[in-house]
Amino acid sequence: MSDRRSEESSGDEPSSSSISDEVWEQFLQDTERDIRKSAPKEPSARAREVTERLKGRTGEPEGWRTGPAWQEMNGRAARRRRIWAVVGIPLAIAVAVVAMRPSVIPGDPFGSSSGSSSGSSSGADTATAPLPDETTAPTAPPSAVAPGTPTLAHPFAGSPALRWADGAAGIVLPKATALGAIPKDRVELALQQTRKLLVDGSLNPDVIAGGNPAAALSVLDPKQPGVLDNLKTSLRSPSRTHNPLFLFSRFDPKDVKQAGKVVKVRGRITFAKGKYQGVAVHADYTFVYPVVRAGAATDGSTEVARTIVRRVIEAELPDPTRYQVTAGRLTLLRYDEDAGNSVCGIDDGYLHPEFASRAATGTTAPTGPSVDPYDRSRDIGKEEACGTVSRT
């Protein structure tokens, strides 16, 4: 920011007739230089912003508590892992360091810039600008973001998902091309059926509120042994081994409700020739659900929690001339799920987010490692033990 100053005339400036123009000009330049050196310096934009953040902070930042859980399920083996979120002293220290020295984070996430208000505005725009579509597998978790507490107005505050796509807009299909003798239209059909499975099973508001994922079920092949029967059993009578959460995102409407209408989405779909002479599709997506307690409207609570669900689905549209399959229906080969912030020990077919304002029930002690639920670079489907997550 440029310095601001005010200059007033003293009324006794020498006239041009008594001092030459060259001497007078040098006098003015020397005086201005001395004023610049002695004038108090205005705090930088970064310093002012950090000061305001510290003044406005009350209580503990979101995430400085024990509570949220993690679960992982492998659809083929009906395996399940859940991990609680325990954010401890190392993260607390990190947040404190960032608050005092924002420059330690690469990329200037607070949107501040050295010296000008226009630079600060540009940085803030960059920190919240939508990310480009994910086209390759990430190699690391998302960078740290500015601390923030989710609210009804801003449910993704303090989350890397703030820059992710909204809902179905985040499920972007690659351009379909022929795979040898497999025509382009069959590739397109396989991609569209997989997208329909993801959109209905993970983004349909009725399904999220505990409803039946009829559209998702309609793309699956009824001739595939056990798959549809097992999924329908899981919806009708959920248990540890038959759980709809293996493939669908559902919350108990008597327990929680969505905070707003937006679910943040990040991931990608790829395709190749499958082992059943058809189109094999690989989908890997993470969904972030902000929720509030169902009774919040009556007790005035505005607390927002987030559940982060990652799904990896492998399916194939086989060649119906070579295999006994239903034309146009998908064969499921794999479906794994990780869900961050869902209480352990409850197998009723619903995700159960934990809130700081209420004690968890039906929980089991965490024994597994700590993981970052936003980390899309790690493999899922192997660990089964309860553990911890580093952030929600």
Side-chain angles (χ1 to χ4, degrees):
M1 178 177 290
S2 60
D3 293 327
R4 296 180 180 180
R5 63 185 185 276
S6 175
E7 297 180 358
E8 296 182 358
S9 172
S10 64
D12 56 355
E13 293 91 344
S15 66
S16 59
S17 61
S18 60
I19 299 179
S20 69
D21 291 342
E22 291 78 11
V23 174
W24 179 242
E25 180 64 23
Q26 183 63 46
F27 171 79
L28 291 178
Q29 292 177 1
D30 294 342
T31 302
E32 181 179 1
R33 183 177 60 253
D34 293 338
I35 291 174
R36 285 179 177 272
K37 289 182 178 180
S38 61
K41 295 184 179 180
E42 183 176 355
S44 68
R46 183 188 299 275
R48 292 197 306 274
E49 182 170 4
V50 172
T51 301
E52 290 302 317
R53 287 181 181 276
L54 293 176
K55 287 182 180 178
R57 180 173 297 163
T58 58
E60 295 178 335
E62 179 68 13
W64 287 28
R65 61 181 178 83
T66 301
W70 180 270
Q71 67 189 16
E72 173 178 297
M73 289 159 281
N74 181 300
R76 294 170 299 174
R79 294 183 298 169
R80 190 174 195 173
R81 180 184 66 166
R82 295 178 175 181
I83 301 182
W84 291 357
V86 180
V87 182
I89 293 177
L91 181 57
I93 294 174
V95 172
V97 170
V98 170
M100 297 303 297
R101 296 184 59 192
S103 60
V104 300
I105 299 181
D108 198 14
F110 292 96
S112 56
S113 180
S114 57
S116 72
S117 58
S118 60
S120 176
S121 175
S122 176
D125 291 343
T126 302
T128 59
L131 292 174
D133 296 334
E134 183 179 289
T135 56
T136 59
T139 58
S143 301
V145 298
T149 300
T151 63
L152 293 174
H154 303 285
F156 299 101
S159 166
L162 178 64
R163 300 181 62 192
W164 293 6
D166 293 354
I171 303 180
V172 179
L173 299 181
K175 182 179 180 180
T177 57
L179 294 170
I182 303 174
K184 174 182 175 181
D185 61 343
R186 283 194 59 76
V187 175
E188 182 66 29
L189 177 60
L191 293 172
Q192 291 292 348
Q193 292 289 68
T194 304
R195 189 176 192 274
K196 187 175 181 180
L197 174 63
L198 288 166
V199 170
D200 189 58
S202 299
L203 294 173
N204 184 337
D206 293 334
V207 175
I208 293 173
N212 187 55
L217 294 173
S218 72
V219 308
L220 303 178
D221 191 348
K223 292 184 179 179
Q224 185 178 7
V227 172
L228 272 178
D229 288 341
N230 287 339
L231 289 173
K232 290 178 180 178
T233 297
S234 72
L235 290 163
R236 182 175 59 253
S237 304
S239 65
R240 181 173 179 80
T241 56
H242 291 84
N243 199 318
L245 299 181
F246 292 170
L247 196 57
F248 311 119
S249 295
R250 303 168 76 240
F251 295 86
D252 186 348
K254 298 187 297 295
D255 182 39
V256 298
K257 296 181 179 179
Q258 276 190 265
K261 299 180 180 180
V262 175
V263 175
K264 289 290 186 176
V265 180
R266 182 90 177 145
R268 68 194 181 282
I269 290 181
T270 58
F271 65 90
K273 188 173 182 178
K275 62 180 180 179
Y276 299 110
Q277 306 303 311
V279 184
V281 181
H282 178 92
D284 184 342
Y285 281 90
T286 301
F287 305 88
V288 182
Y289 304 91
V291 294
V292 296
R293 293 188 295 104
T298 58
D299 62 20
S301 173
T302 59
E303 182 183 5
V304 175
R306 287 188 292 252
T307 292
I308 303 98
V309 176
R310 183 179 173 195
R311 299 190 185 283
V312 175
I313 297 175
E314 293 179 1
E316 184 169 341
L317 194 65
D319 184 349
T321 66
R322 300 191 182 194
Y323 297 92
Q324 294 182 359
V325 295
T326 304
R329 299 290 189 91
L330 293 175
T331 294
L332 281 180
L333 306 179
R334 170 195 176 191
Y335 46 106
D336 293 327
E337 180 191 61
D338 277 358
N341 189 14
S342 185
V343 175
C344 294
I346 302 179
D347 299 305
D348 60 357
Y350 298 117
L351 296 161
H352 289 278
E354 232 180 301
F355 294 84
S357 59
R358 79 176 175 191
T361 58
T363 60
T364 57
T367 59
S370 176
V371 296
D372 180 354
Y374 293 98
D375 182 3
R376 295 185 36 74
S377 66
R378 66 185 188 85
D379 293 331
I380 66 172
K382 297 179 182 179
E383 298 292 337
E384 298 182 48
C386 285
T388 59
V389 294
S390 59
R391 54 180 173 177
T392 60

